Amino acid sequence: MARQLDEQIVGRYPVGQRLRVLDVGMGQGTQALRLARAGHQVTGLEQDSTMVATAREALSAEPEGIRERMRIIEGDGRDTGVHFLPGSFDVVLCHGVLMYVEEPDPLLAGLARMLAPGGLLSLLVRNGDALAMRPGLTGDWAGALGVFDTTAYRNRLGLDVRADRLSTLTATLAGIGAPLQAWYGVRVFTDTATDDTEAPGDVETLLACEERAGRTDPYRGVAALLHLCGVRG
């Protein structure tokens, strides 16, 4: 997904331009730190205090120049208007968050308001059109049958969450003034791998396969996750 995001940034902004980035639901700060290291001014917003502590610890180990380019705020992604003025950011990330939000439209509208004209909104969501793939590929036939006609599912943490359909989000993005410009699949071939699966010897070839599949039909349509990129009009 990082390669996909970089592709969109490079295609939209001059090389070397320092961007204002907001990462909503930044988790432990992986993407936020990566972009700060690349020279961008990054703000991370996260409501989980444990994740905030982890991100701050990771940031403290970075060189001073990177620490100065990144700030971390503990808060709810639905309250962006409390913390920031409209149009304050060139890029807004919201990765792996929507599945935990029962009503995502207000959150998405708030994120779009944070974007400057021409700004990039990057979403990573669970693919509601492919929920049967994981149980089906692992032989859980009852589980596969149970999710064909729903967007609700139980994730690997045992939490009851929700997925999003591409068609629905496409309409939502158009409605909030940040229409979809590009979309990718994420975890096309590797979704059934467990957390303790050892990486193969040729990781670069695996990543090349995933990257190619993530931009190619019909493969991207059955990916576990969707990466959607909208642009503020």
Side-chain angles (χ1 to χ4, degrees):
M1 187 196 64
R3 297 184 184 188
Q4 298 164 355
L5 179 61
D6 288 347
E7 175 183 298
Q8 291 298 313
I9 289 175
V10 169
R12 185 154 299 280
Y13 297 102
V15 175
Q17 180 176 338
R18 178 174 291 187
L19 301 175
R20 301 164 298 165
V21 180
L22 173 63
D23 189 353
V24 173
M26 69 168 183
Q28 60 188 8
T30 301
Q31 286 299 320
L33 274 171
R34 188 183 71 82
L35 291 169
R37 292 179 188 126
H40 303 301
Q41 194 75 35
V42 181
T43 300
L45 181 64
E46 173 59 53
Q47 68 175 349
D48 187 295
S49 58
T50 301
M51 290 292 186
V52 168
T54 300
R56 285 179 173 156
E57 182 178 359
L59 180 61
S60 69
E62 295 289 329
E64 181 180 356
I66 295 174
R67 295 199 306 271
E68 291 176 348
R69 287 197 296 270
M70 182 171 167
R71 61 172 171 159
I72 297 171
I73 299 174
E74 186 170 343
D76 194 312
R78 290 167 290 192
D79 296 331
T80 50
V82 174
H83 300 287
F84 317 110
L85 293 175
S88 295
F89 298 95
D90 304 301
V91 179
V92 174
L93 314 180
C94 186
H95 296 165
V97 174
L98 289 193
M99 56 274 290
Y100 299 103
V101 179
E102 187 173 347
E103 296 292 340
D105 287 7
L107 168 62
L108 291 172
L111 299 184
R113 284 194 293 271
M114 294 300 104
L115 286 169
L120 177 68
L121 175 60
S122 174
L123 306 175
L124 184 70
V125 304
R126 189 75 163 89
N127 184 4
D129 293 318
L131 285 181
M133 290 298 294
R134 182 188 296 169
L137 290 172
T138 56
D140 177 8
W141 309 119
L145 280 173
V147 294
F148 274 110
D149 300 315
T150 182
T151 55
Y153 70 103
R154 179 162 292 182
N155 66 14
R156 286 172 169 170
L157 300 176
L159 301 175
D160 292 322
V161 288
R162 47 173 295 282
D164 288 281
R165 298 190 188 278
L166 176 63
S167 58
T168 302
L169 280 179
T170 299
T172 299
L173 289 172
I176 61 176
L180 183 68
Q181 297 295 305
W183 68 279
Y184 308 86
V186 176
R187 292 204 328 234
V188 177
F189 300 126
T190 58
D191 186 52
T192 57
T194 60
D195 293 339
D196 58 356
T197 300
E198 291 187 11
D202 193 355
V203 174
E204 283 303 314
T205 303
L206 181 153
L207 292 175
C209 286
E210 282 284 353
E211 187 176 9
R212 179 69 179 273
R215 65 178 68 248
T216 305
D217 291 322
Y219 304 102
R220 63 178 180 167
V222 295
L225 303 168
L226 297 178
H227 181 197
L228 288 78
C229 299
V231 173
R232 181 72 171 171

